[in-house]
Amino acid sequence: MADIIDGKAIAAKTRARIAEEVKQLKEKGITPGLAVVLVGEDPASRVYVAMKEKACQELGMFSDEHKLPAETGEDVLLALIDRLNSDPRIHGILVQLPLPKHINTDKVLEAISPKKDVDGFHPYNVGRLVVGKPTFQPCTPYGVMVMLKETGVNLAGKEVVVVGRSNIVGKPVALMCLHEHATVTICHSRTRDLPGKVRQADVVIAAVGQPEMIKGDWIKEGAVVIDVGVNRVGEKKLVGDVEFAAASQRASAITPVPGGVGPMTITMLMYNTMQSAKQTLNEA
Ligand code: NDP
């Protein structure tokens, strides 16, 4: 039976470290500040924004929320980002996705100063991640890496299979594993023989968005399974991309859904914002 990788506990431990660093920064006169921009009324986005605000408050950080109506023009949003880029109280800018269809998401993300891009989505920071330079690492994949480290998994020489190739999760997590010297295979909807690929993996990272599509009997005996997927089944139940019960019989360690990767994402956003504030101290 697999050990459960407790995302809530690892997030709490990481947040305690962030709170300590925030305290030290405040003693030096800097309060890390995160601006969160929400356009429209998407219910899930509203929940995420509220969680980010709460996390800021709990960690003693400054939270600057901008809730704009769905019909907000792209020019208005770009002007707001421009102001936030030059506001010294703000160390991180997060534009909650998805944006309404009339707004060009790439243009908005590229308008954020790379120095305040705590989501790590700006092409400048993505490029730095590719070449292995220090950068803001995207929060969900970064959370996955912290969880692996806290679980004592050494990736050097391991076979890692990432299922999913999105810019938000699959691609960056694959790069991060590569930087940790794993041999990485990235799978997607056109991959042939997905079960065969997963069966080779010492570490499986699932970021697909399909409820329990990775079957328990695909998991190699003793593998580590990180399930990024969050899928709503019926009214209330959440499940991951991996068939948890069956996979737990074979894996050595596995993340649950909920309570696995989820709590790490906002934690790493707070971490990146704190780091950005710290950076301004170094630049002063
Ligand atoms: P995307 O929809 O952007 O990407 C999904 C990926 O899965 C694509 O690369 C797609 O392939 C691949 N895929 C889809 N179906 C299959 C299949 N049958 N076999 C193999 N590959 C397949 O999703 P995201 O990366 O944004 O998110 C993935 C999951 O992670 C979602 O459940 C999301 O809710 C969750 N998530 C959780 C977060 C957290 O904080 N816990 C944060 C972000 C995401 P192709 O490219 O060929 O289409």
Side-chain angles (χ1 to χ4, degrees), residues 17-18 21-22 25 30 32-33 61 91-92 115 118 135-137 142 268-283:
R17 272 180 43 211
I18 300 169
E21 296 233 36
V22 169
L25 281 167
I30 295 178
M61 292 164 54
H91 303 96
K115 287 186 171 180
V118 284
T135 183
F136 291 119
Q137 305 197 55
Y142 197 2
M268 300 323 293
L269 176 70
M270 299 299 131
Y271 181 84
N272 281 348
T273 305
M274 178 275 292
Q275 281 294 340
S276 178
K278 211 169 163 181
Q279 197 59 38
T280 61
L281 192 69
N282 296 340
E283 284 166 6

Side-chain angles (χ1 to χ4, degrees), residues 60-77:
M61 292 164 54
F62 169 53
S63 162
D64 182 30
E65 227 181 85
H66 297 264
K67 287 187 179 147
L68 308 176
E71 60 275 13
T72 300
E74 189 180 281
D75 52 341
V76 173
L77 182 56

Side-chain angles (χ1 to χ4, degrees), residues 140 164-166 169 188-189 194 207-210 213 228-231 262 265:
T140 300
R165 57 171 165 179
S166 73
V169 190
H188 47 79
S189 65
L194 182 63
V208 185
Q210 306 275 346
M213 61 96 51
V228 183
V230 181
N231 308 288
T265 298

Side-chain angles (χ1 to χ4, degrees), residues 48 139-141 163-170 186-191 194 206-210 213 227-231 239-241 260-266:
Y48 290 136
C139 303
T140 300
V163 191
R165 57 171 165 179
S166 73
N167 290 334
I168 294 174
V169 190
I186 307 177
C187 301
H188 47 79
S189 65
R190 314 266 181 108
T191 295
L194 182 63
V208 185
Q210 306 275 346
M213 61 96 51
D227 192 349
V228 183
V230 181
N231 308 288
V239 299
D241 291 342
V261 177
M264 291 305 292
T265 298
I266 293 182

Side-chain angles (χ1 to χ4, degrees), residues 49 54 58 75 116 130 142 145 230 232 252 256 276:
V49 166
K54 186 164 167 263
E58 284 171 2
D75 52 341
K116 298 190 180 187
V130 173
Y142 197 2
M145 299 312 284
V230 181
R232 193 166 288 280
S252 60
S276 178

